[in-house]
Amino acid sequence: MANDSPLQEKLIGVLAETHAMAVHFREALSIHHGLSGWNPEVEERLERHLAETDEQIARLERCLAAHDREPSTLRRMLGNALGMLQGFADAYREDTYEHMMTANYVAKHLAIANYVMLRDLARAVGDDATRAAMESSMMEEMAMARWLFERLPQASFVSARHEGFEVPEDLVDSTLRGDRWSLEFSRAGVPAD
């Protein structure tokens, strides 16, 4: 694909930055997955999202290749190092579950924002393949954000219990599936797990 417009160069730059970000998030997610063995539901969903993240990274690499570019080795190394540092820091936190859920929820929104930007830049330059790929990645991230959001109360209550507070069992097992914000996800077309 010819790289002849400033807007197309911007698209390529954001693709490379998003690739580095996705590699970073994948490293942290891998460490979080390793910490989640006590909760089979969380472990299974993180495992599934690791596979989705691997596919998102592959999509980004295919989009860069279509523009005759490769991911930056320096950016990739920085992303790997940052992800490992975040993951190791999380491993030594006393309140790992709550932090992991919150950090992943925030990360999903950063990824969603990048995929929206890439989708729209691709549409502006007429790159339908990149637009479709970024739309797929955006929907996967939105579904994961919804799944995390619905479980934030559980993370808070499990953490409170870990800190020695008494928390009724029905709250520890609670989710926000019927919450107003969860319904907003539904209206936006974000699938529930």
Side-chain angles (χ1 to χ4, degrees), residues 43-61:
E43 183 179 36
E44 185 276 328
R45 186 59 178 102
L46 291 180
E47 189 172 307
R48 198 165 90 221
H49 194 60
L50 276 168
E52 291 170 346
T53 302
D54 287 340
E55 179 54 32
Q56 291 170 17
I57 291 168
R59 283 183 199 126
L60 289 160
E61 289 170 354

Side-chain angles (χ1 to χ4, degrees), residues 11-174:
L11 171 64
I12 293 166
V14 178
L15 280 167
E17 290 168 8
T18 303
H19 180 271
M21 178 193 69
V23 169
H24 161 75
F25 288 160
R26 201 249 181 251
E27 290 297 322
L29 189 62
S30 178
I31 293 168
H32 290 165
H33 175 261
L35 298 172
S36 66
W38 64 273
N39 185 326
E41 179 194 21
V42 173
E43 183 179 36
E44 185 276 328
R45 186 59 178 102
L46 291 180
E47 189 172 307
R48 198 165 90 221
H49 194 60
L50 276 168
E52 291 170 346
T53 302
D54 287 340
E55 179 54 32
Q56 291 170 17
I57 291 168
R59 283 183 199 126
L60 289 160
E61 289 170 354
R62 287 191 298 271
C63 291
L64 283 165
H67 290 277
D68 299 320
R69 302 293 173 88
E70 293 182 10
S72 165
T73 302
L74 180 61
R75 284 182 177 151
R76 186 173 36 230
M77 286 178 10
L78 180 60
N80 283 336
L82 289 173
M84 287 173 49
L85 285 173
Q86 178 184 341
F88 288 134
D90 292 348
Y92 292 102
R93 283 182 51 99
E94 198 172 314
D95 191 8
T96 304
Y97 181 57
E98 184 176 33
H99 177 72
M100 175 186 71
M101 296 294 275
T102 304
N104 282 323
Y105 183 70
V106 170
K108 297 303 103 191
H109 287 281
L110 182 58
I112 291 164
N114 274 36
Y115 289 132
V116 167
M117 186 176 4
L118 284 167
R119 179 200 63 190
D120 294 345
L121 284 169
R123 183 177 18 208
V125 300
D127 182 348
D128 291 334
T130 296
R131 183 203 49 75
M134 297 306 102
E135 184 83 24
S136 294
S137 294
M138 179 189 74
M139 291 306 291
E140 289 166 353
E141 292 297 315
M142 289 174 77
M144 185 63 181
R146 178 181 184 166
W147 185 88
L148 288 163
F149 172 79
E150 290 174 345
R151 285 149 186 85
L152 287 176
Q154 180 187 62
S156 298
F157 296 135
V158 166
S159 295
R161 185 178 273 180
H162 177 74
E163 293 171 18
F165 296 101
E166 287 190 36
V167 179
E169 194 63 38
D170 63 321
L171 291 179
V172 173
D173 293 332
S174 67

